[in-house]
Amino acid sequence: MGKSKNRFQKNIDILHVFEDFDYKHLKPTDELNFLKNSNSKSLITINGVSIELKPTHIFTYNNLDFKEIGAVWFMVKKDGFKNGELGMFCDIMYRYLNATYSNKFKVNPENCIAVDLFNGYDVNYSQIIKNEIPHLLDNTIDDLKKLL
């Protein structure tokens, strides 16, 4: 099978994974306001390393008396991500939202979600808080700094 045909087949396989996917848990039940994606880069510095992030959607909503914010990031990697890898993306989003929006909104860890399009599963930041998913980001950045 040629490269193009193989790539298209992988895209079709990804679509099949999501035929029966329940999207309801990816967003709060309240009315959402989506923040406009700007063309400027979203950057956060963690442990002295600048990291660019591109969540698919950043959204706000009212939860009782609180204005809350969350984000979802759909991503794909050949053969999919491990849960800990997805957790790093959740961690980056959670820190970014806190650094950028915490003066206006409460960041909800359950709504900082990374979705693996290859395997059809997702991780949210509250799973890291509960130690259900390993917290890998800081150690990974420290390892990266040793290589720089």
Side-chain angles (χ1 to χ4, degrees):
M1 187 180 300
K3 271 187 164 183
S4 291
K5 188 172 181 182
N6 195 10
R7 184 177 66 229
F8 291 121
Q9 184 60 51
K10 286 185 187 293
N11 290 340
I12 290 169
D13 292 344
I14 288 169
L15 291 173
H16 284 299
V17 167
F18 281 90
E19 281 180 326
D20 298 320
F21 190 78
D22 180 16
Y23 293 93
K24 292 177 190 161
H25 74 283
L26 294 180
K27 69 178 192 71
T29 55
D30 303 302
E31 184 176 327
L32 301 181
N33 299 306
F34 290 92
L35 300 183
K36 291 182 180 179
N37 290 340
S38 67
N39 289 332
S40 63
K41 293 180 181 179
S42 298
L43 294 173
I44 185 167
T45 301
I46 301 174
N47 298 343
V49 175
S50 290
I51 300 171
E52 181 180 356
L53 65 153
K54 295 182 180 185
T56 309
H57 297 290
I58 298 176
F59 50 86
T60 64
Y61 56 97
N62 292 323
N63 186 4
L64 301 174
D65 293 333
F66 295 101
K67 288 187 140 203
E68 294 190 357
I69 191 166
V72 63
W73 197 342
F74 295 100
M75 56 194 65
V76 67
K77 174 179 124 176
K78 184 179 178 184
D79 299 325
F81 290 93
K82 296 177 185 170
N83 281 344
E85 293 171 324
L86 282 177
M88 287 194 291
F89 290 99
C90 294
D91 195 347
I92 291 168
M93 282 190 293
Y94 184 80
R95 293 185 199 198
Y96 173 77
L97 293 175
N98 262 313
T100 309
Y101 298 103
S102 63
N103 60 335
K104 294 181 183 176
F105 303 100
K106 177 183 177 231
V107 181
N108 187 324
E110 290 183 5
N111 288 313
C112 291
I113 306 167
V115 181
D116 179 346
L117 294 174
F118 187 84
N119 291 314
Y121 59 82
D122 57 88
V123 168
N124 67 62
Y125 188 72
S126 69
Q127 292 174 282
I128 295 172
I129 294 170
K130 296 174 189 173
N131 291 318
E132 296 170 2
I133 302 291
H135 186 259
L136 302 176
L137 183 60
D138 292 307
N139 288 339
T140 302
I141 290 173
D142 289 341
D143 289 344
L144 178 65
K145 285 172 63 174
K146 291 174 188 173
L147 299 173
L148 297 176

